[in-house]
Amino acid sequence: MLTHGDTDHLGFAERLRREYGVPVFVHSADAARARGEVKVKNTWGQAKIGATAGFLWYASRKGGLRTTYLTEVSEVADGDVLDLPAAPRILGMPGHSPGSIAVHVPAVDAVFVGDGLTTRHVLTGQHGPQPAPFTDDRDQALESLDRLGELQAKWVLPGHGTPWNGGVQEVVRQVRAAARPQ
């Protein structure tokens, strides 16, 4: 299950799909992005040379600068409850990308948010809940945080940074505070 179709989140999904028949779920608005049919033109936002260089160095060592796009995806939509263990529920979280989603898994008291927010900004090195870099539409991404307010979950699991166990409402509050102009 992919929270969005950005290249740094595709990982080895195509290999799993091809070699083991594992379906790869992605929101319909990001399906073309995950297949490499749409190129991203987002902005980087704030950056610090050391943190950015570290991120690029790490990505290059781990193959993150070479992308294997998906050839097939199983499309999901906002509100879907997947027929998978723990019945994960899809919440549309557009902004980071058009098809960004959060995946709520009540059975484990968690929500996977992908790049809907981050707890470690890969371009500045700053720790703590904050908006994610490389976001297509920052204002829409911040609006989408309201969707998380509907949830009761202790664990918030971002695509970058450490897991947050202080609850959904508090992480959203801190992201909004970090997003305010200083």
Side-chain angles (χ1 to χ4, degrees):
M1 192 169 320
L2 302 176
T3 57
H4 60 292
D6 284 353
T7 57
D8 66 321
H9 287 260
L10 299 180
F12 54 92
E14 175 59 18
R15 182 173 163 199
L16 286 173
R17 189 206 59 75
R18 186 180 59 248
E19 294 179 16
Y20 300 99
V22 174
V24 180
F25 297 96
V26 65
H27 190 280
S28 57
D30 267 20
R33 196 173 189 148
R35 290 189 300 259
E37 299 163 3
V38 173
K39 299 302 178 201
V40 181
K41 296 178 184 129
N42 54 32
T43 61
W44 283 33
Q46 287 186 307
K48 291 184 179 176
I49 292 173
T52 301
F55 170 65
L56 294 172
W57 175 251
Y58 178 84
S60 68
R61 286 188 4 249
K62 300 295 182 179
L65 302 180
R66 291 184 314 264
T67 302
T68 302
Y69 290 102
L70 296 161
T71 56
E72 293 177 30
V73 297
S74 297
E75 295 183 16
V76 297
D78 183 41
D80 286 355
V81 177
L82 303 183
D83 187 18
L84 296 171
R89 183 171 69 104
I90 306 301
L91 274 84
M93 298 275 300
H96 180 74
S97 70
S100 286
I101 61 172
V103 182
H104 184 215
V105 186
V108 294
D109 202 18
V111 59
F112 296 82
V113 296
D115 287 355
L117 61 91
T118 188
T119 58
R120 182 183 178 277
H121 195 295
V122 297
L123 300 179
T124 66
Q126 183 178 355
H127 292 268
Q130 59 198 294
F134 308 114
T135 294
D136 290 2
D137 185 331
R138 180 181 163 93
D139 291 339
Q140 187 179 36
L142 290 170
E143 274 183 38
S144 287
L145 292 174
D146 292 342
R147 297 298 312 278
L148 295 178
E150 303 170 9
L151 305 177
Q152 293 299 318
K154 175 181 180 178
W155 290 98
V156 178
L157 306 164
H160 303 278
T162 58
W164 173 268
N165 67 357
V168 173
Q169 284 69 28
E170 180 60 16
V171 80
V172 167
R173 187 191 70 72
Q174 289 195 28
V175 171
R176 289 190 187 288
R180 284 188 211 112
Q182 302 296 327

Short mmCIF file of all heavy atoms in Angstrom, two decimals, residues 103-155:
data_model
loop_
_atom_site.label_atom_id
_atom_site.label_comp_id
_atom_site.label_asym_id
_atom_site.label_seq_id
_atom_site.Cartn_x
_atom_site.Cartn_y
_atom_site.Cartn_z
N VAL A 103 -3.62 5.97 5.83
CA VAL A 103 -4.19 4.63 5.99
C VAL A 103 -4.38 4.40 7.48
O VAL A 103 -3.42 4.29 8.24
CB VAL A 103 -3.26 3.55 5.38
CG1 VAL A 103 -3.89 2.18 5.53
CG2 VAL A 103 -2.95 3.87 3.92
N HIS A 104 -5.65 4.35 7.88
CA HIS A 104 -5.99 4.17 9.29
C HIS A 104 -6.19 2.69 9.57
O HIS A 104 -6.97 2.01 8.88
CB HIS A 104 -7.27 4.95 9.61
CG HIS A 104 -7.65 4.91 11.05
ND1 HIS A 104 -8.95 4.87 11.47
CD2 HIS A 104 -6.89 4.89 12.19
CE1 HIS A 104 -9.00 4.84 12.79
NE2 HIS A 104 -7.76 4.85 13.24
N VAL A 105 -5.48 2.21 10.59
CA VAL A 105 -5.59 0.80 10.99
C VAL A 105 -5.99 0.79 12.47
O VAL A 105 -5.12 0.75 13.36
CB VAL A 105 -4.27 0.03 10.75
CG1 VAL A 105 -4.46 -1.46 11.03
CG2 VAL A 105 -3.77 0.25 9.32
N PRO A 106 -7.30 0.85 12.75
CA PRO A 106 -7.76 0.93 14.14
C PRO A 106 -7.28 -0.23 15.01
O PRO A 106 -7.02 -0.05 16.20
CB PRO A 106 -9.29 0.92 14.02
CG PRO A 106 -9.57 1.38 12.64
CD PRO A 106 -8.42 0.90 11.81
N ALA A 107 -7.12 -1.41 14.43
CA ALA A 107 -6.71 -2.58 15.20
C ALA A 107 -5.36 -2.41 15.88
O ALA A 107 -5.10 -3.04 16.91
CB ALA A 107 -6.68 -3.81 14.29
N VAL A 108 -4.51 -1.54 15.33
CA VAL A 108 -3.20 -1.30 15.94
C VAL A 108 -3.06 0.15 16.43
O VAL A 108 -1.96 0.60 16.73
CB VAL A 108 -2.03 -1.68 15.00
CG1 VAL A 108 -2.02 -3.18 14.75
CG2 VAL A 108 -2.10 -0.91 13.69
N ASP A 109 -4.21 0.86 16.47
CA ASP A 109 -4.24 2.22 17.00
C ASP A 109 -3.27 3.14 16.25
O ASP A 109 -2.54 3.92 16.86
CB ASP A 109 -3.93 2.21 18.50
CG ASP A 109 -4.44 3.44 19.23
OD1 ASP A 109 -5.32 4.15 18.68
OD2 ASP A 109 -3.95 3.71 20.35
N ALA A 110 -3.25 3.00 14.90
CA ALA A 110 -2.26 3.74 14.11
C ALA A 110 -2.85 4.28 12.82
O ALA A 110 -3.81 3.74 12.28
CB ALA A 110 -1.08 2.82 13.79
N VAL A 111 -2.18 5.34 12.34
CA VAL A 111 -2.49 5.88 11.02
C VAL A 111 -1.16 6.15 10.32
O VAL A 111 -0.26 6.76 10.89
CB VAL A 111 -3.38 7.15 11.10
CG1 VAL A 111 -2.75 8.26 11.90
CG2 VAL A 111 -3.78 7.61 9.71
N PHE A 112 -1.03 5.62 9.12
CA PHE A 112 0.13 5.86 8.28
C PHE A 112 -0.18 7.08 7.43
O PHE A 112 -1.17 7.09 6.70
CB PHE A 112 0.39 4.65 7.37
CG PHE A 112 0.74 3.40 8.11
CD1 PHE A 112 -0.25 2.60 8.67
CD2 PHE A 112 2.07 3.02 8.26
CE1 PHE A 112 0.08 1.44 9.36
CE2 PHE A 112 2.41 1.87 8.95
CZ PHE A 112 1.40 1.07 9.50
N VAL A 113 0.64 8.11 7.50
CA VAL A 113 0.33 9.37 6.83
C VAL A 113 1.24 9.69 5.65
O VAL A 113 1.07 10.71 5.00
CB VAL A 113 0.35 10.57 7.82
CG1 VAL A 113 -0.75 10.40 8.87
CG2 VAL A 113 1.71 10.73 8.47
N GLY A 114 2.20 8.83 5.36
CA GLY A 114 3.11 9.10 4.25
C GLY A 114 3.76 10.45 4.40
O GLY A 114 4.35 10.74 5.44
N ASP A 115 3.63 11.31 3.39
CA ASP A 115 4.19 12.64 3.45
C ASP A 115 3.12 13.70 3.72
O ASP A 115 3.29 14.87 3.39
CB ASP A 115 4.96 12.97 2.17
CG ASP A 115 6.28 12.21 2.08
OD1 ASP A 115 6.65 11.51 3.05
OD2 ASP A 115 6.94 12.30 1.04
N GLY A 116 2.01 13.28 4.32
CA GLY A 116 1.01 14.24 4.76
C GLY A 116 1.57 15.15 5.84
O GLY A 116 1.08 16.25 6.05
N LEU A 117 2.60 14.67 6.51
CA LEU A 117 3.37 15.44 7.49
C LEU A 117 4.67 14.68 7.69
O LEU A 117 4.84 13.56 7.21
CB LEU A 117 2.62 15.62 8.81
CG LEU A 117 2.24 14.35 9.58
CD1 LEU A 117 3.32 13.94 10.58
CD2 LEU A 117 0.94 14.60 10.32
N THR A 118 5.60 15.29 8.39
CA THR A 118 6.86 14.62 8.68
C THR A 118 7.27 14.91 10.11
O THR A 118 6.83 15.92 10.69
CB THR A 118 7.97 15.05 7.70
OG1 THR A 118 9.12 14.24 7.91
CG2 THR A 118 8.34 16.50 7.86
N THR A 119 8.08 14.03 10.68
CA THR A 119 8.66 14.30 11.99
C THR A 119 10.17 14.54 11.88
O THR A 119 10.84 14.74 12.88
CB THR A 119 8.37 13.17 13.00
OG1 THR A 119 8.90 11.95 12.48
CG2 THR A 119 6.88 13.05 13.28
N ARG A 120 10.68 14.49 10.66
CA ARG A 120 12.07 14.90 10.39
C ARG A 120 12.13 15.39 8.95
O ARG A 120 11.97 14.61 8.02
CB ARG A 120 13.06 13.77 10.57
CG ARG A 120 14.49 14.29 10.32
CD ARG A 120 15.55 13.22 10.41
NE ARG A 120 16.85 13.79 10.12
CZ ARG A 120 17.34 13.98 8.90
NH1 ARG A 120 16.64 13.69 7.84
NH2 ARG A 120 18.53 14.51 8.73
N HIS A 121 12.38 16.67 8.82
CA HIS A 121 12.44 17.30 7.50
C HIS A 121 13.76 16.89 6.84
O HIS A 121 14.83 17.22 7.34
CB HIS A 121 12.37 18.81 7.68
CG HIS A 121 12.06 19.57 6.44
ND1 HIS A 121 12.92 19.62 5.37
CD2 HIS A 121 10.99 20.33 6.11
CE1 HIS A 121 12.40 20.38 4.43
NE2 HIS A 121 11.22 20.82 4.85
N VAL A 122 13.69 16.16 5.73
CA VAL A 122 14.90 15.61 5.11
C VAL A 122 15.79 16.69 4.50
O VAL A 122 16.98 16.43 4.28
CB VAL A 122 14.57 14.54 4.03
CG1 VAL A 122 13.88 13.34 4.67
CG2 VAL A 122 13.75 15.11 2.89
N LEU A 123 15.27 17.87 4.25
CA LEU A 123 16.09 18.93 3.64
C LEU A 123 16.66 19.93 4.64
O LEU A 123 17.58 20.66 4.31
CB LEU A 123 15.28 19.68 2.58
CG LEU A 123 14.76 18.84 1.42
CD1 LEU A 123 13.96 19.71 0.46
CD2 LEU A 123 15.90 18.15 0.70
N THR A 124 16.09 19.97 5.85
CA THR A 124 16.62 20.89 6.86
C THR A 124 17.21 20.13 8.05
O THR A 124 17.96 20.72 8.83
CB THR A 124 15.52 21.83 7.40
OG1 THR A 124 14.55 21.05 8.11
CG2 THR A 124 14.89 22.64 6.29
N GLY A 125 16.83 18.87 8.22
CA GLY A 125 17.28 18.10 9.37
C GLY A 125 16.49 18.38 10.63
O GLY A 125 16.71 17.77 11.67
N GLN A 126 15.52 19.31 10.56
CA GLN A 126 14.73 19.69 11.73
C GLN A 126 13.82 18.54 12.16
O GLN A 126 13.13 17.94 11.33
CB GLN A 126 13.91 20.93 11.41
CG GLN A 126 13.12 21.45 12.59
CD GLN A 126 12.35 22.71 12.24
OE1 GLN A 126 12.46 23.27 11.16
NE2 GLN A 126 11.55 23.16 13.18
N HIS A 127 13.82 18.26 13.47
CA HIS A 127 12.99 17.21 14.04
C HIS A 127 11.69 17.79 14.60
O HIS A 127 11.64 18.95 14.95
CB HIS A 127 13.74 16.47 15.15
CG HIS A 127 14.89 15.67 14.64
ND1 HIS A 127 14.79 14.35 14.29
CD2 HIS A 127 16.18 16.01 14.39
CE1 HIS A 127 15.96 13.91 13.86
NE2 HIS A 127 16.82 14.91 13.91
N GLY A 128 10.68 16.96 14.68
CA GLY A 128 9.39 17.35 15.23
C GLY A 128 8.34 17.43 14.14
O GLY A 128 8.66 17.55 12.95
N PRO A 129 7.08 17.35 14.51
CA PRO A 129 5.99 17.40 13.54
C PRO A 129 6.00 18.72 12.75
O PRO A 129 6.11 19.79 13.33
CB PRO A 129 4.73 17.30 14.39
CG PRO A 129 5.19 16.58 15.63
CD PRO A 129 6.58 17.09 15.87
N GLN A 130 5.90 18.60 11.42
CA GLN A 130 5.93 19.76 10.52
C GLN A 130 5.45 19.35 9.13
O GLN A 130 5.36 18.16 8.84
CB GLN A 130 7.36 20.31 10.46
CG GLN A 130 8.37 19.29 9.95
CD GLN A 130 9.78 19.66 10.29
OE1 GLN A 130 10.27 20.65 9.79
NE2 GLN A 130 10.44 18.87 11.13
N PRO A 131 5.15 20.33 8.28
CA PRO A 131 4.79 20.00 6.90
C PRO A 131 5.96 19.32 6.19
O PRO A 131 7.13 19.61 6.47
CB PRO A 131 4.49 21.36 6.28
CG PRO A 131 4.16 22.25 7.43
CD PRO A 131 5.03 21.76 8.56
N ALA A 132 5.65 18.43 5.28
CA ALA A 132 6.68 17.71 4.53
C ALA A 132 7.18 18.54 3.35
O ALA A 132 6.43 19.35 2.79
CB ALA A 132 6.11 16.39 4.02
N PRO A 133 8.45 18.34 2.96
CA PRO A 133 8.96 19.01 1.76
C PRO A 133 8.42 18.34 0.49
O PRO A 133 7.75 17.31 0.57
CB PRO A 133 10.48 18.82 1.89
CG PRO A 133 10.63 17.55 2.64
CD PRO A 133 9.47 17.51 3.60
N PHE A 134 8.75 18.92 -0.64
CA PHE A 134 8.37 18.38 -1.96
C PHE A 134 6.86 18.30 -2.13
O PHE A 134 6.35 17.42 -2.82
CB PHE A 134 8.98 17.00 -2.21
CG PHE A 134 10.46 16.92 -2.01
CD1 PHE A 134 10.99 16.15 -0.99
CD2 PHE A 134 11.34 17.60 -2.84
CE1 PHE A 134 12.36 16.06 -0.79
CE2 PHE A 134 12.71 17.52 -2.66
CZ PHE A 134 13.22 16.74 -1.63
N THR A 135 6.13 19.21 -1.51
CA THR A 135 4.67 19.17 -1.55
C THR A 135 4.14 19.95 -2.75
O THR A 135 4.57 21.07 -3.00
CB THR A 135 4.11 19.72 -0.22
OG1 THR A 135 4.49 18.80 0.81
CG2 THR A 135 2.61 19.86 -0.25
N ASP A 136 3.20 19.35 -3.47
CA ASP A 136 2.61 19.99 -4.64
C ASP A 136 1.81 21.24 -4.27
O ASP A 136 1.91 22.26 -4.91
CB ASP A 136 1.67 19.03 -5.37
CG ASP A 136 2.39 17.90 -6.08
OD1 ASP A 136 3.63 17.81 -5.99
OD2 ASP A 136 1.70 17.09 -6.73
N ASP A 137 0.95 21.13 -3.25
CA ASP A 137 0.07 22.23 -2.86
C ASP A 137 0.05 22.32 -1.33
O ASP A 137 -0.72 21.62 -0.67
CB ASP A 137 -1.33 21.99 -3.42
CG ASP A 137 -2.29 23.14 -3.16
OD1 ASP A 137 -2.14 23.87 -2.16
OD2 ASP A 137 -3.22 23.30 -3.98
N ARG A 138 0.90 23.18 -0.79
CA ARG A 138 1.07 23.28 0.67
C ARG A 138 -0.23 23.63 1.38
O ARG A 138 -0.56 23.04 2.41
CB ARG A 138 2.15 24.31 0.97
CG ARG A 138 2.42 24.51 2.45
CD ARG A 138 3.50 25.58 2.64
NE ARG A 138 3.54 26.11 3.96
CZ ARG A 138 4.33 25.65 4.94
NH1 ARG A 138 5.12 24.64 4.70
NH2 ARG A 138 4.31 26.21 6.12
N ASP A 139 -0.99 24.58 0.85
CA ASP A 139 -2.25 24.98 1.50
C ASP A 139 -3.23 23.81 1.55
O ASP A 139 -3.88 23.59 2.57
CB ASP A 139 -2.88 26.18 0.79
CG ASP A 139 -2.07 27.46 0.96
OD1 ASP A 139 -1.27 27.54 1.93
OD2 ASP A 139 -2.21 28.36 0.12
N GLN A 140 -3.35 23.09 0.45
CA GLN A 140 -4.25 21.94 0.43
C GLN A 140 -3.77 20.85 1.39
O GLN A 140 -4.58 20.20 2.05
CB GLN A 140 -4.37 21.38 -0.99
CG GLN A 140 -5.43 20.29 -1.10
CD GLN A 140 -5.56 19.77 -2.51
OE1 GLN A 140 -4.59 19.66 -3.25
NE2 GLN A 140 -6.79 19.41 -2.88
N ALA A 141 -2.46 20.65 1.47
CA ALA A 141 -1.91 19.65 2.40
C ALA A 141 -2.27 20.01 3.84
O ALA A 141 -2.63 19.13 4.64
CB ALA A 141 -0.41 19.54 2.22
N LEU A 142 -2.17 21.29 4.18
CA LEU A 142 -2.53 21.71 5.54
C LEU A 142 -4.03 21.55 5.79
O LEU A 142 -4.44 21.13 6.87
CB LEU A 142 -2.08 23.15 5.78
CG LEU A 142 -0.57 23.35 5.88
CD1 LEU A 142 -0.21 24.83 5.89
CD2 LEU A 142 0.00 22.64 7.10
N GLU A 143 -4.86 21.85 4.79
CA GLU A 143 -6.31 21.63 4.92
C GLU A 143 -6.63 20.16 5.14
O GLU A 143 -7.52 19.80 5.89
CB GLU A 143 -7.03 22.10 3.65
CG GLU A 143 -7.39 23.54 3.63
CD GLU A 143 -8.18 23.89 2.37
OE1 GLU A 143 -9.01 23.09 1.92
OE2 GLU A 143 -7.92 24.98 1.84
N SER A 144 -5.88 19.29 4.46
CA SER A 144 -6.13 17.85 4.55
C SER A 144 -5.87 17.30 5.95
O SER A 144 -6.38 16.24 6.29
CB SER A 144 -5.28 17.09 3.53
OG SER A 144 -5.79 17.29 2.23
N LEU A 145 -5.10 18.04 6.75
CA LEU A 145 -4.86 17.58 8.12
C LEU A 145 -6.17 17.47 8.91
O LEU A 145 -6.26 16.70 9.87
CB LEU A 145 -3.90 18.53 8.84
CG LEU A 145 -2.46 18.53 8.34
CD1 LEU A 145 -1.66 19.61 9.04
CD2 LEU A 145 -1.81 17.18 8.49
N ASP A 146 -7.20 18.23 8.50
CA ASP A 146 -8.50 18.15 9.15
C ASP A 146 -9.05 16.73 9.10
O ASP A 146 -9.77 16.30 10.00
CB ASP A 146 -9.51 19.10 8.51
CG ASP A 146 -9.17 20.56 8.75
OD1 ASP A 146 -8.37 20.85 9.67
OD2 ASP A 146 -9.69 21.41 7.99
N ARG A 147 -8.72 16.00 8.03
CA ARG A 147 -9.18 14.62 7.91
C ARG A 147 -8.65 13.75 9.04
O ARG A 147 -9.32 12.85 9.51
CB ARG A 147 -8.74 14.01 6.57
CG ARG A 147 -9.27 14.65 5.32
CD ARG A 147 -10.79 14.58 5.20
NE ARG A 147 -11.41 13.30 5.44
CZ ARG A 147 -11.51 12.30 4.58
NH1 ARG A 147 -11.01 12.38 3.38
NH2 ARG A 147 -12.13 11.18 4.92
N LEU A 148 -7.43 14.03 9.47
CA LEU A 148 -6.85 13.25 10.57
C LEU A 148 -7.58 13.52 11.88
O LEU A 148 -7.66 12.64 12.74
CB LEU A 148 -5.36 13.57 10.73
CG LEU A 148 -4.47 13.17 9.56
CD1 LEU A 148 -3.03 13.59 9.84
CD2 LEU A 148 -4.54 11.68 9.29
N GLY A 149 -8.13 14.73 12.01
CA GLY A 149 -8.86 15.08 13.23
C GLY A 149 -10.07 14.20 13.46
O GLY A 149 -10.59 14.13 14.58
N GLU A 150 -10.54 13.52 12.42
CA GLU A 150 -11.67 12.60 12.53
C GLU A 150 -11.29 11.31 13.25
O GLU A 150 -12.15 10.55 13.65
CB GLU A 150 -12.19 12.21 11.13
CG GLU A 150 -12.60 13.36 10.25
CD GLU A 150 -12.85 12.92 8.81
OE1 GLU A 150 -12.88 11.71 8.53
OE2 GLU A 150 -13.03 13.81 7.97
N LEU A 151 -10.00 11.06 13.39
CA LEU A 151 -9.52 9.77 13.88
C LEU A 151 -9.17 9.80 15.36
O LEU A 151 -8.77 10.83 15.90
CB LEU A 151 -8.26 9.35 13.12
CG LEU A 151 -8.34 9.28 11.61
CD1 LEU A 151 -6.98 8.92 11.04
CD2 LEU A 151 -9.40 8.29 11.17
N GLN A 152 -9.25 8.64 15.95
CA GLN A 152 -8.69 8.41 17.28
C GLN A 152 -7.59 7.38 17.08
O GLN A 152 -7.87 6.21 16.85
CB GLN A 152 -9.76 7.88 18.24
CG GLN A 152 -10.86 8.87 18.55
CD GLN A 152 -10.32 10.12 19.21
OE1 GLN A 152 -9.47 10.07 20.10
NE2 GLN A 152 -10.80 11.27 18.77
N ALA A 153 -6.36 7.82 17.10
CA ALA A 153 -5.22 6.91 16.97
C ALA A 153 -4.06 7.48 17.76
O ALA A 153 -3.77 8.67 17.69
CB ALA A 153 -4.82 6.75 15.50
N LYS A 154 -3.40 6.61 18.51
CA LYS A 154 -2.23 7.01 19.29
C LYS A 154 -1.02 7.18 18.40
O LYS A 154 -0.26 8.13 18.54
CB LYS A 154 -1.95 5.96 20.36
CG LYS A 154 -0.69 6.23 21.14
CD LYS A 154 -0.44 5.15 22.18
CE LYS A 154 0.85 5.46 22.94
NZ LYS A 154 1.10 4.47 23.98
N TRP A 155 -0.82 6.27 17.46
CA TRP A 155 0.37 6.24 16.63
C TRP A 155 0.14 6.92 15.29
O TRP A 155 -0.80 6.60 14.58
CB TRP A 155 0.82 4.80 16.38
CG TRP A 155 1.37 4.17 17.61
CD1 TRP A 155 0.71 3.33 18.48
CD2 TRP A 155 2.68 4.33 18.14
NE1 TRP A 155 1.53 2.98 19.50
CE2 TRP A 155 2.75 3.57 19.32
CE3 TRP A 155 3.79 5.05 17.74
CZ2 TRP A 155 3.90 3.51 20.10
CZ3 TRP A 155 4.94 4.99 18.51
CH2 TRP A 155 4.98 4.23 19.67
#
